[in-house]
Amino acid sequence: MTFTMANKMKTSISPSLVAAIYCLAFTTPAWLGGCGGDDDPGKSTDGLGDRLPAEAGKPGTIPAESSVAQQASLVIFDDSRVHDVRLFLSAEDWQSILDDSSGDEPRRATVSVDGVVIANAGIRPSGESSRVPGNRKISLRVDLDAFDSTKKLGGFDSIKLTGSWDDPFLIRDQLAYWYYRQVMPAPREVSTQLWVNGQSRGAYQIEEIWSKESLKGRFADAKGTLYRIRGVGGVDPYGYLGMEPALYIPLPWDAKGKHLPEAHMVIGKALRIVHEEPARLNEALDVDNMLTYFAASAILSNTDGFGSEFEIDDVYEYYDPTTGRLFMLPWDPDNTFGSLNELPTRDIFANFDRSVLTRFLKTTLRDRYYSKLDEVMRKIPIEIFHAQIERAAGQIRPIAQADTLKMYPTEHFEWSVAYIKDFIAARYVSVGQQILPKQGP
């Protein structure tokens, strides 16, 4: 099994073996200098990490629940600082998460985010590549309303705690999300230190999940239907199969939230236009939004989603009732910036023959795609993005250095700062050269 395949599916392969395969996939000498983190061999290998500082009180002491007003006023996605997340649950339940032995069953927990506490929340394993039994940096889904539908923190009923287990830079997807957000709606992600039962789990990310709550403020009406596109090898999720929702749901269109069955008729209606009346494409899909997504993805060298070698995945579609169109939303952009050893000269049409949507970009929408690539790069000058890389790296660096559970040594983190800056600079040059025919006389 190659690393790429392991990165796209839940599997029983051990994290250490996947990490070894990952390291061997890189030919850059700096990456081959070592794999496996900078744990002290003399320390315990149970993955529990360091104890809380003495001033924080007794390790594992469960704090009292905060007031509803405090819970409502919490600003979770403040990117000006590193956050502090603490989880308190039974030792048996935590071990079942590490072992991934109880599926998606929520485990009762008390959750503290920056000192604001909510009791009786639900915790479960999350992710795809990270969801491997024994993974010390397993990603977690925090469903605050799992046992009480009124529970929220900062207006959100769910968040994701991302372990970035296979990313030596730890913040690759945070940076990709930042880039997307400069030109379109995209999730927010901020750095945090995670503690479980008073013991450090090191550097994590708090990731915003696409939901009714996250759609608010980004759309005039957040009551439309939301779908996660889940890849099926060799299948174009945007192929027209007929009008009935059952032809698309639950795969490859994974519907989120509760809606009447007839609400999902929007899928077949949109895809019929895509295939049978492409001149009306903008009535079915927000074409400018689609072009922006594809342009930003190409610049970031996003090899998930439509750029994948295997399946079309890691993208959401929102049916916006105010426009009557589908709106594309990015998700989980961890395979970016040459993470799978792609060169910055990667073709801006790579793997675009696998979907009807991307084939439009090679034909009738080609000039608009070129213009959108140029527009996005002009809107985000390379020096601005470099500054964001340095700022985000500076925030997480102290926690990354102290993290005894991370898969890769700190030297790989430091090397990645310069690598990603160099990669994106070279990528801007390459994309500019590839669109020169459009920019000429």
Side-chain angles (χ1 to χ4, degrees):
M1 175 179 289
T2 66
F3 170 77
T4 307
M5 292 176 67
N7 197 43
K8 296 304 301 173
M9 64 183 72
K10 182 181 174 184
T11 171
S12 60
I13 190 170
S14 72
S16 59
L17 179 56
V18 174
I21 296 171
Y22 181 72
C23 276
L24 291 174
F26 286 86
T27 57
T28 308
W31 285 93
L32 295 176
C35 290
D38 43 5
D39 294 328
D40 181 347
K43 292 182 179 179
S44 169
T45 58
D46 60 6
L48 294 179
D50 299 324
R51 291 287 181 176
L52 279 168
E55 61 269 21
K58 292 182 179 180
T61 301
I62 301 176
E65 187 167 29
S66 301
S67 68
V68 172
Q70 289 173 316
Q71 293 170 356
S73 62
L74 177 67
V75 180
I76 294 178
F77 296 104
D78 175 7
D79 67 356
S80 67
R81 63 192 179 94
V82 175
H83 296 261
D84 182 276
V85 175
R86 305 189 182 207
L87 309 178
F88 304 87
L89 66 166
S90 74
E92 293 77 14
D93 281 344
W94 175 239
Q95 191 61 49
S96 77
I97 288 175
L98 293 176
D99 295 341
D100 196 8
S101 58
S102 300
D104 288 344
E105 174 190 340
R107 287 73 155 178
R108 292 182 186 270
T110 294
V111 178
S112 170
V113 179
D114 298 331
V116 178
V117 180
I118 191 165
N120 206 28
I123 309 291
R124 64 173 177 83
S126 184
E128 293 179 349
S129 65
S130 68
R131 195 164 174 175
V132 181
N135 182 4
R136 303 178 305 180
K137 301 290 285 189
I138 194 166
S139 293
L140 307 167
R141 174 73 173 256
V142 182
D143 291 320
L144 302 158
D145 62 346
F147 303 106
D148 182 344
S149 62
T150 67
K151 293 291 184 74
K152 291 186 178 183
L153 275 177
F156 293 90
D157 55 26
S158 294
I159 56 174
K160 181 179 177 181
L161 298 174
T162 302
S164 303
W165 78 293
D166 57 357
D167 179 12
F169 196 34
L170 303 175
I171 54 172
R172 186 183 302 268
D173 51 344
Q174 180 190 133
L175 290 169
Y177 275 142
W178 179 92
Y179 195 92
Y180 279 116
R181 285 200 309 276
Q182 309 314 299
V183 292
M184 67 183 300
R188 292 167 290 183
E189 185 170 297
V190 294
S191 295
T192 189
Q193 183 165 18
L194 176 65
W195 305 83
V196 177
N197 294 336
Q199 297 169 320
S200 175
R201 307 302 302 188
Y204 266 70
Q205 304 291 309
I206 309 175
E207 184 175 1
E208 185 178 15
I209 299 168
W210 283 123
S211 65
K212 183 185 296 184
E213 286 74 24
S214 57
L215 293 172
K216 291 176 181 176
R218 292 173 165 121
F219 295 90
D221 187 345
K223 297 179 182 178
T225 48
L226 177 68
Y227 308 94
R228 179 176 177 180
I229 305 300
R230 293 190 177 274
V232 178
V235 173
D236 179 7
Y238 294 86
Y240 178 59
L241 305 175
M243 296 298 293
E244 290 301 316
L247 297 170
Y248 308 98
I249 296 173
L251 288 176
W253 292 65
D254 181 5
K256 303 299 180 182
K258 296 180 180 179
H259 297 276
L260 294 174
E262 54 265 30
H264 301 302
M265 293 289 291
V266 299
I267 303 173
K269 289 178 180 179
L271 297 186
R272 188 197 66 77
I273 292 175
V274 169
H275 284 264
E276 298 180 2
E277 300 181 83
R280 297 175 54 206
L281 186 64
N282 199 51
E283 297 178 32
L285 313 172
D286 187 315
V287 173
D288 187 70
N289 151 257
M290 182 182 77
L291 289 166
T292 301
Y293 170 79
F294 285 129
S297 297
I299 295 166
L300 293 170
S301 193
N302 188 344
T303 53
D304 276 340
F306 292 82
S308 170
E309 297 285 346
F310 298 98
E311 70 270 336
I312 296 168
D313 200 0
D314 284 348
V315 64
Y316 274 74
E317 290 280 6
Y318 175 61
Y319 177 76
D320 184 357
T322 62
T323 65
R325 299 182 294 184
L326 290 170
F327 194 97
M328 195 171 286
L329 298 165
W331 178 247
D332 195 25
D334 56 339
N335 281 334
T336 44
F337 308 109
S339 65
L340 298 181
N341 214 28
E342 301 84 18
L343 296 175
T345 53
R346 191 172 190 260
D347 190 345
I348 57 174
F349 294 104
N351 295 322
F352 273 20
D353 289 326
R354 296 170 50 251
S355 173
V356 60
L357 296 190
T358 42
R359 287 196 293 272
F360 284 134
L361 272 65
K362 299 182 71 174
T363 55
T364 57
L365 294 176
R366 190 183 188 98
D367 287 349
R368 290 185 64 181
Y369 179 48
Y370 282 165
S371 294
K372 185 61 73 171
L373 286 161
D374 183 62
E375 176 188 323
V376 170
M377 291 190 295
R378 289 180 185 274
K379 187 167 185 178
I380 313 172
I382 194 66
E383 60 271 15
I384 298 298
F385 194 31
H386 278 182
Q388 178 64 19
I389 293 170
E390 288 285 359
R391 189 186 73 85
Q395 278 187 336
I396 197 69
R397 180 175 282 111
I399 298 175
Q401 291 173 339
D403 188 346
T404 63
L405 302 183
K406 62 182 183 293
M407 191 69 69
Y408 300 91
T410 301
E411 289 78 7
H412 287 190
F413 172 86
E414 296 298 345
W415 182 87
S416 296
V417 178
Y419 169 75
I420 288 184
K421 288 174 68 176
D422 290 345
F423 182 94
I424 197 65
R427 186 66 180 149
Y428 266 49
V429 171
S430 176
V431 172
Q433 292 172 342
Q434 292 184 60
I435 65 175
L436 275 177
K438 173 64 174 64
Q439 306 303 314

